[in-house]
Amino acid sequence: MKIEWWILLSAFTVTTGILFFIQKNKIRLALVAFLFKQVITFLMGAVVVEFGLIEYPVRLFASINRTSFTYEYYVLPVICAAFNVWYPTNKSTLIQLSYYVGYSSVLTIIEVIIEEYTALIKYIHWEWYITWITVCFVFFISHLFCIWFFAKEKGRA
Amino acid sequence: MLMERLILVAMWLFGFVGFILFIPRKNRRKGLFAFMMFQSIIWLCDMPAFKYGLLSAPIREFPKATDLALTINYFFYPALFSIFYVHKKVKDGLWSRFAYFFVWVSIITLCDIVIERYTDLLEYGLLTWYGMWIYIGFLFFVSRVCCNWFFKDNTLFHGKQT
């Protein structure tokens, strides 16, 4: 088996592993973050491939889909769920900011390494910092959405 | 080609208008959650369905990126499902609940068949009309079960902060 398939397999395994660490009382929060992230990646993933910004030479469902199903359907949404579940809500702004920077940086570094050394992803008109900015921004949006979703409605107990 | 484009625009329009008109303000979260849940499930199920030639979408929004029918998968059917989910009656008897489900799935299947027959937006491969009914019924049923699980404990749902 080629290295690319091993990476995909381990991506599935590791992200599934993350799911087991999510506390039972936060499953609903995790699910909302997961689904919300999918809404964004479904569309954006198609757009970046359609306009030739990124290519995924090795991928699942290769015959009908040129986007990265693994990343967009599973890996990124699960990480987004983890992001929201363990978000340091009551900590200082500095800690919250570094939480964002940490998640975005780790994801970007892994993506750049994968881009450089494997055929899983190929930047065409894309740069590492665009990944960083978009990932960070989408985390932010997802966090706002989760806060809104679980906020108690005004006027109701 | 023009007709297909118009239908896609109409789907977005009716989806938006339907969502705003038929989902009461207090059920916004419920509707949105049902929307996202259905989208996730239809995305997952359509991948193998398209791969193994059950159906295909000759005219589509992002022909280079994906062979899936994006408007239908991403927006239109999820929006319909969320209207279905928000308006279902929990307290009704088994029969009326079943009839509600049956009518919704049948009407959507009918639309699907009409779209398949008269436009190039969808093309059934191995799938037949009753196969489509079963497929849509399956998607609705699974999404319904997942949403019911999510909302089963209302106090738990609203009592939690992020």
Side-chain angles (χ1 to χ4, degrees):
Chain A
M1 207 159 64
K2 284 197 302 184
I3 179 83
E4 280 83 5
W5 294 107
W6 282 111
I7 293 175
L8 283 186
L9 191 67
S10 42
F12 268 105
T13 319
V14 169
T15 35
T16 309
I18 292 174
L19 290 181
F20 285 102
F21 286 98
I22 289 172
Q23 302 94 307
K24 212 160 179 271
N25 63 344
K26 295 222 167 167
I27 288 178
R28 283 176 171 77
L29 169 62
L31 186 60
V32 169
F34 177 86
L35 292 174
F36 182 75
K37 187 76 162 190
Q38 280 189 344
V39 174
I40 294 174
T41 57
F42 196 167
L43 194 62
M44 293 319 289
V47 168
V48 293
V49 173
E50 183 70 24
F51 292 106
L53 307 179
I54 295 181
E55 239 175 43
Y56 302 96
V58 176
R59 58 189 184 264
L60 283 180
F61 299 109
S63 58
I64 55 144
N65 197 44
R66 266 72 60 197
T67 65
S68 173
F69 185 71
T70 314
Y71 188 56
E72 282 150 21
Y73 191 87
Y74 195 63
V75 174
L76 207 49
V78 168
I79 291 174
C80 183
F83 177 89
N84 280 287
V85 164
W86 290 303
Y87 190 84
T89 307
N90 299 320
K91 300 280 166 58
S92 67
T93 316
L94 187 66
I95 291 181
Q96 296 193 18
L97 271 182
S98 27
Y99 191 72
Y100 274 103
V101 172
Y103 265 81
S104 313
S105 303
V106 169
L107 278 175
T108 307
I109 290 169
I110 294 174
E111 190 178 280
V112 167
I113 293 173
I114 288 176
E115 202 269 339
E116 187 74 32
Y117 294 105
T118 75
L120 279 171
I121 177 167
K122 197 165 169 299
Y123 292 170
I124 300 169
H125 298 290
W126 197 263
E127 300 294 337
W128 64 267
Y129 55 82
I130 308 180
T131 297
W132 197 93
I133 293 167
T134 47
V135 164
C136 195
F137 182 67
V138 176
F139 274 141
F140 177 65
I141 306 263
S142 78
H143 187 61
L144 288 186
F145 182 81
C146 287
I147 290 175
W148 171 79
F149 193 91
F150 287 101
K152 288 192 176 106
E153 280 176 62
K154 288 187 191 104
R156 284 201 338 180
Chain B
M1 192 71 174
L2 180 71
M3 183 164 77
E4 279 84 359
R5 295 247 163 98
L6 284 177
I7 291 174
L8 291 181
V9 172
M11 279 178 174
W12 282 92
L13 217 64
F14 283 120
F16 263 116
V17 172
F19 195 87
I20 291 166
L21 280 187
F22 295 115
I23 298 196
R25 233 187 130 67
K26 64 176 168 52
N27 283 335
R28 279 285 145 82
R29 288 176 175 79
K30 206 177 187 179
L32 264 178
F33 183 82
F35 177 91
M36 298 193 299
M37 196 72 232
F38 189 82
Q39 186 187 82
S40 178
I41 288 169
I42 195 174
W43 188 7
L44 185 65
C45 294
D46 260 15
M47 279 285 174
F50 276 66
K51 181 176 165 70
Y52 294 108
L54 291 180
L55 69 166
S56 58
I59 292 185
R60 50 186 189 269
E61 301 77 2
F62 295 115
K64 225 181 109 197
T66 179
D67 288 0
L68 301 185
L70 197 107
T71 300
I72 292 175
N73 278 5
Y74 184 79
F75 188 72
F76 192 57
Y77 284 2
L80 290 180
F81 175 78
S82 76
I83 296 169
F84 159 85
Y85 188 76
V86 165
H87 285 276
K88 77 179 173 55
K89 306 263 190 307
V90 186
K91 285 175 189 138
D92 279 5
L94 193 65
W95 271 112
S96 66
R97 269 187 298 168
F98 179 75
Y100 182 74
F101 180 83
F102 189 88
V103 168
W104 265 92
V105 172
S106 299
I107 289 175
I108 291 177
T109 308
L110 196 68
C111 292
D112 209 83
I113 292 167
V114 170
I115 289 171
E116 197 264 344
R117 169 113 2 131
Y118 296 103
T119 76
D120 284 334
L121 285 172
L122 289 174
E123 204 66 59
Y124 294 173
L126 303 170
L127 213 61
T128 53
W129 67 267
Y130 57 87
M132 198 63 202
W133 196 95
I134 294 169
Y135 185 57
I136 291 178
F138 170 78
L139 292 176
F140 264 61
F141 184 76
V142 172
S143 312
R144 220 189 78 117
V145 168
C146 294
C147 290
N148 279 347
W149 166 81
F150 188 88
F151 291 110
K152 77 175 173 202
D153 196 343
N154 230 344
T155 52
L156 204 74
F157 168 61
H158 269 298
K160 215 158 45 226
Q161 292 284 323
T162 50

